[in-house]
Amino acid sequence: MPVLRDPSSLRKWRQQLRGSLAFVPTMGHLHAGHLALLRLAQARAEQVLVSIYVNPLQFGPGEDFSSYPRSVEEDLRKLAEAGCTSVFVPSDQDLYPLGATEQTRVVPPLALSDILCGVQRPGHFSGVATIVLKLLHLAEPDILVLGEKDYQQFRIVQQMLSDFDLATQLLCGPTERDTDGLALSSRNSRLSPEQRVIAPQLATELRKLCQLPANSLALPAAQETGERLQAAGFVLDYLELRDSTTLQTINNTRSGARWFAAARLGAVRLIDNMVIP
Ligand code: PAF
């Protein structure tokens, strides 16, 4: 499995590649959720490229950029074992030679990006859209695979592909969960044993919200649930019902709408979302 360390090696590799290519961008510290995205990519294309890059552009001041878990050697081993075709592991200097602050940025529509995670993380989705666009230009994949757990990110990238007339097809891989329901995330490895016991309650409460009768009022249900989560030890950033396409708020529950939550346990911020069946 070739490990491509800079953009020119990736370009050369891409030029000689035969067959369809699916691309799974990641920030590494790979878990079963990433490997499920890899399998989805493998089922849809002949070749699969994974990138491992902790993108400084999508972290704000005081966020966990420096403490974000990194385990590149272990990641490469997992990817080789899983039959990944090739891996792109660039450095900051390769991707942002003039420095991250000098980089031209993509600005996603505010209606999608200054809500939910965009409120606590201003500039985050601009950083995500910028790196994804850069990687797409370098890798030129036929298919891009993103996870449903980061649903707001998925919608923003989907909109960007459409707005910039990019031909890449976008696939959304379902959220992988631990047996107790906790959505898999690289950040879970930073939960203390006590926090790990509490963490699945976020998914449990989202599942309960999804089971409310159709046309129930969302706000009181969210308030009640939020109080329970805070009592369990979470600091809630948001818990909201929104439209799955526009991401605008919805007052009453209905099939296809989506509950979104972000909550912190100590220094670890967990996000999750579930669609009403
Ligand atoms: O979802 C992620 O891991 C990141 O936001 C992504 C898409 C790899 C961009 O850095």
Side-chain angles (χ1 to χ4, degrees):
M1 182 187 68
V3 179
L4 309 161
R5 300 265 174 194
D6 57 75
S8 65
S9 321
L10 173 57
R11 280 231 158 88
K12 262 185 229 142
W13 173 83
R14 182 66 182 103
Q15 275 159 12
Q16 54 73 46
L17 193 75
R18 295 286 161 264
S20 53
L21 176 67
F23 172 47
V24 186
T26 80
M27 298 206 298
H29 204 61
L30 304 179
H31 49 68
H34 294 112
L35 297 179
L37 297 181
L38 173 66
R39 282 195 300 277
L40 177 61
Q42 285 170 324
R44 298 299 187 92
E46 288 149 89
Q47 317 285 350
V48 177
L49 173 73
V50 170
S51 65
I52 299 175
Y53 179 60
V54 184
N55 171 38
L57 235 58
Q58 68 189 74
F59 289 81
E63 286 189 0
D64 59 350
F65 174 68
S66 50
S67 61
Y68 194 86
R70 289 164 171 88
S71 51
V72 175
E73 292 314 313
E74 172 84 5
D75 291 346
L76 294 178
R77 196 186 51 70
K78 286 182 185 168
L79 290 173
E81 237 169 55
C84 178
T85 316
S86 189
V87 189
F88 182 46
V89 192
S91 68
D92 292 341
Q93 176 63 27
D94 285 322
L95 289 189
Y96 305 122
L98 300 178
T101 50
E102 296 305 308
Q103 169 68 35
T104 306
R105 283 176 180 247
V106 176
V107 181
L110 290 183
L112 296 179
S113 64
D114 75 348
I115 55 169
L116 299 171
C117 284
V119 175
Q120 275 87 20
R121 309 189 69 189
H124 168 68
F125 289 111
S126 171
V128 169
T130 303
I131 188 65
V132 171
L133 187 65
K134 243 177 119 77
L135 293 170
L136 287 176
H137 281 310
L138 288 170
E140 297 184 3
D142 303 290
I143 295 173
L144 170 67
V145 183
L146 293 175
E148 186 179 1
K149 188 179 84 71
D150 300 302
Y151 188 83
Q152 188 178 8
Q153 162 174 288
F154 166 78
R155 266 299 294 129
I156 286 170
V157 170
Q158 187 178 48
Q159 195 61 46
M160 177 177 76
L161 293 175
S162 161
D163 291 348
F164 288 161
D165 307 298
L166 297 177
T168 308
Q169 186 197 342
L170 179 61
L171 293 183
C172 187
T175 303
E176 292 290 312
R177 298 182 180 279
D178 244 320
T179 44
D180 56 14
L182 177 64
L184 296 188
S185 161
S186 305
R187 288 186 170 99
N188 293 353
S189 64
R190 290 172 40 222
L191 292 168
S192 70
E194 297 74 28
Q195 289 167 339
R196 180 61 190 78
V197 173
I198 301 168
Q201 288 188 40
L202 191 61
T204 309
E205 293 292 353
L206 282 175
R207 191 161 294 117
K208 277 197 223 152
L209 285 169
C210 284
Q211 285 160 357
L212 287 173
N215 219 21
S216 303
L217 277 175
L219 198 60
Q223 265 160 3
E224 220 177 273
T225 304
E227 279 161 24
R228 265 201 306 278
L229 287 169
Q230 316 240 32
F234 287 93
V235 175
L236 202 62
D237 280 350
Y238 60 77
L239 176 59
E240 294 171 13
L241 180 67
R242 289 184 176 255
D243 183 272
S244 290
T245 305
T246 64
L247 301 188
Q248 295 312 292
T249 47
I250 291 180
N251 295 333
N252 297 75
T253 59
R254 61 166 159 76
S255 171
R258 196 172 281 269
W259 283 99
F260 291 86
R264 280 169 283 136
L265 282 173
V268 184
R269 187 168 183 275
L270 302 174
I271 63 170
D272 202 349
N273 70 86
M274 281 185 204
V275 68
I276 301 180

